[in-house]
Amino acid sequence: MNIKNSSALNISDDLKKNWNIVQLKLKEIYGIDVYKSWIENVEAKGIEQNSLILRVKTRFVRDWIVSHYADKILDHFQKLDDTVSRIQFEISEIFVNDKISNIFDFNTKSKIIDIKDTNYGVNRIDPRLNFDNFVTGESNQLAFSAAKRICENLGHYNPLYIYGSVGLGKTHILNSIGNQLKQLQKKIIYLSAERFMYQFVKSIKNKDTYKFKDIFRNADVLILDDIQFISGKDVTQEEFFYTFNSLIENQSQVVISSDRSPNDLDRIQDRIKSRLSGGLVVDIQQPDISLRLEILKKRCLAEKDQFSKDLIISDEILTFIANEFKSSIRDMLGVLNRIIASSRIQNRNPSLQDAKLILKDLFSNMNAVVNIEDIQKIVVNFYDISITDFLSARRSRHIARPRQIAMYLSKKLTTKSLPEIGRKFTGRDHTTVIHAIKKIEDLMHNDKKFALEVQEISNRILKK
Ligand code: ADP
Ligand code: MG
């Protein structure tokens, strides 16, 4: 599987761009933790005989990617470049001698253990997430109170197990606990279960699991986010179980989050499940409308403090967003951010109509309600050029620019792949489409008037 002499491979810009797109797609699918742990540092080295060559640091990473993400990677890559039919890995192995002692390090000042292995991203406690900016309501009150309670009295509930579906504030609460205890000079380890597993397997390979265990056993508080990822691998479960037991015996606090209750965890040994349920198990439920509204209001206030004082997002808009997004606070805040960002670009307070358009844009992105022919028609009308010229090989600016805008909007507003888009533009290559997207993005970035023009066309398409 190893490919030698990789320097001979030609790393084209297109490949880099395509790989970047695939990486971001995976981030979207699997979330930031997985992305940081497994995807971010993988480099695309070249394409050889229909194989995409990816460079990873170790065999372990390769195996993990092969067993978890390779299908998706290939799928998405093929959407951009259908000449590729396989993935091969090149291993750089420079980190094989990493010792666990280099990976974990007590930072004497903060008493927080940071994981220094920057190659796989760092699980830092996020200082922006605290109890003060967590809004409570019926759905999360229990989890919130329990979290505060253990900060006042370590071990009061041990372990504290918080579960709920994605985007409902688990990570926020876990970080709040970390931030609060940090002030009390406690030794805290905060990491996702996926990274716990990764570090552990690495320590087995380096034959220094004893150090790994010591580090965990010396903590006052162990915070493990997203424990559902720890399923599978017996040896890791075993280790987790021992670490867990010794922490509890030492009366160290353990806090765990998951997307499901202990009993619903797949492929986790029963005795671990019952251990996990041995303290307090609380769930976070779907937020009701008043909580959703309050969270939005609080976020608007925070934004105001940070940026422009005169930005106003009306209650009408906030109510509209709160009504549309019932199941994930993350998604709801994502929409608010988009509305705020676009108001900043346009330098005016958004109307309800603006907000609706942004949302419609989001939905149509997901559902592909727009087709490329419609986009082409509207662009052609907007610039008053003929569709024949538009689809011809002519390169004069007044034809080429609208064509690029149409390609850009096709990417933005439909789910078509780059090669598919290229084909709809009289068989142009996907690299031409990438070039067009890049060009339009640059222009929009540097020229506000142009950005508004594209926005206007996009609005016309979506209003159709
Ligand atoms: P989870 O870990 O459950 O998937 P997160 O903790 O990452 O969810 O929350 C998603 C986003 O929503 C974060 O930006 C978080 O700050 C925010 N959020 C969730 N619940 C609340 C709340 N009750 N008050 C304020 N912000 C919240
Ligand atoms: Mg989370």
Side-chain angles (χ1 to χ4, degrees), residues 214-244:
D214 266 3
I215 282 168
F216 282 94
R217 284 172 193 171
N218 280 326
D220 296 322
V221 185
L222 171 65
I223 305 177
L224 271 183
D225 205 355
D226 288 324
I227 200 169
Q228 68 272 12
F229 289 125
I230 217 165
S231 56
K233 301 246 178 179
D234 270 355
V235 63
T236 325
Q237 286 199 28
E238 211 59 30
E239 176 54 26
F240 171 71
F241 188 62
Y242 285 126
T243 304
F244 185 86

Side-chain angles (χ1 to χ4, degrees), residues 11 21 41 50 69 87 93-94 129 149 178 211 217 219 245 264 292 322 336 350 410 430 463:
I11 312 163
I21 293 172
N41 293 296
N50 304 332
Y69 313 116
I87 301 180
E93 294 267 314
I94 39 174
L129 302 175
R149 186 73 211 245
K211 280 187 186 164
R217 284 172 193 171
N245 278 338
D264 291 337
R292 299 201 298 273
L336 178 66
S410 298
H430 73 278
K463 265 184 229 163

Side-chain angles (χ1 to χ4, degrees), residues 223-418:
I223 305 177
L224 271 183
D225 205 355
D226 288 324
I227 200 169
Q228 68 272 12
F229 289 125
I230 217 165
S231 56
K233 301 246 178 179
D234 270 355
V235 63
T236 325
Q237 286 199 28
E238 211 59 30
E239 176 54 26
F240 171 71
F241 188 62
Y242 285 126
T243 304
F244 185 86
N245 278 338
S246 59
L247 279 168
I248 304 250
E249 271 156 29
N250 290 340
Q251 293 175 339
S252 304
Q253 176 70 51
V254 179
V255 186
I256 287 164
S257 86
S258 173
D259 66 353
R260 61 199 83 172
S261 75
N263 266 333
D264 291 337
L265 290 167
D266 303 326
R267 295 186 299 152
I268 284 205
Q269 300 160 12
D270 283 345
R271 56 178 186 151
I272 297 186
K273 286 184 188 174
S274 88
R275 250 319 196 171
L276 291 173
S277 317
L280 179 70
V281 177
V282 280
D283 67 338
I284 302 185
Q285 294 177 349
Q286 305 290 337
D288 60 19
I289 176 82
S290 69
L291 177 57
R292 299 201 298 273
L293 254 178
E294 219 181 309
I295 291 172
L296 288 170
K297 284 184 180 159
K298 189 139 190 170
R299 183 58 67 93
C300 284
L301 276 179
E303 287 281 323
K304 246 186 187 162
D305 287 348
Q306 279 181 324
F307 301 101
S308 70
K309 297 266 180 248
D310 33 271
L311 175 72
I312 296 170
I313 312 283
S314 67
D315 282 356
E316 197 187 12
I317 293 181
L318 297 182
T319 310
F320 169 69
I321 304 173
N323 273 322
E324 290 293 321
F325 288 84
K326 301 191 167 69
S327 60
S328 161
I329 295 170
R330 178 181 296 124
D331 291 352
M332 181 181 81
L333 289 171
V335 169
L336 178 66
N337 284 341
R338 275 180 78 137
I339 292 172
I340 291 175
S342 100
S343 316
R344 290 217 173 96
I345 295 174
Q346 307 193 11
N347 203 15
R348 64 182 166 87
N349 290 322
S351 65
L352 182 60
Q353 180 65 11
D354 293 332
K356 284 187 175 167
L357 278 171
I358 287 172
L359 268 184
K360 200 168 171 194
D361 170 19
L362 263 184
F363 287 139
S364 61
N365 255 327
M366 291 186 254
N367 302 333
V369 292
V370 180
N371 67 45
I372 295 179
E373 286 81 3
D374 292 335
I375 295 174
Q376 292 176 335
K377 262 183 230 151
I378 290 170
V379 170
V380 163
N381 279 337
F382 189 92
Y383 289 105
D384 200 16
I385 51 182
S386 83
I387 187 89
T388 324
D389 283 348
F390 178 81
L391 291 175
S392 72
R394 286 183 57 185
R395 285 165 179 245
S396 57
R397 165 93 59 94
H398 82 285
I399 304 284
R401 188 72 82 229
R403 196 185 286 137
Q404 288 172 330
I405 292 174
M407 289 180 183
Y408 165 82
L409 290 173
S410 298
K411 185 66 210 160
K412 228 182 121 201
L413 304 179
T414 76
T415 51
K416 296 285 183 250
S417 69
L418 295 172

Side-chain angles (χ1 to χ4, degrees), residues 128-137 139-140 144 163-175 225-226 257-258 284 287 291 294-296 298-299 328-334 337:
R128 291 166 309 175
L129 302 175
N130 52 54
F131 286 127
D132 291 338
N133 59 23
F134 189 85
V135 188
T136 56
S139 54
N140 59 22
F144 180 81
Y163 73 95
S165 64
V166 0
L168 294 187
K170 302 181 295 290
T171 299
H172 192 133
I173 290 186
L174 262 46
N175 278 273
D225 205 355
D226 288 324
S257 86
S258 173
I284 302 185
L291 177 57
E294 219 181 309
I295 291 172
L296 288 170
K298 189 139 190 170
R299 183 58 67 93
S328 161
I329 295 170
R330 178 181 296 124
D331 291 352
M332 181 181 81
L333 289 171
N337 284 341

Side-chain angles (χ1 to χ4, degrees), residues 432-451:
T432 311
V433 183
I434 292 174
H435 174 75
I437 295 169
K438 181 84 182 46
K439 182 81 204 169
I440 299 304
E441 278 173 352
D442 285 350
L443 285 171
M444 284 174 72
H445 188 75
N446 295 320
D447 179 350
K448 215 157 130 183
K449 209 170 136 249
F450 181 77

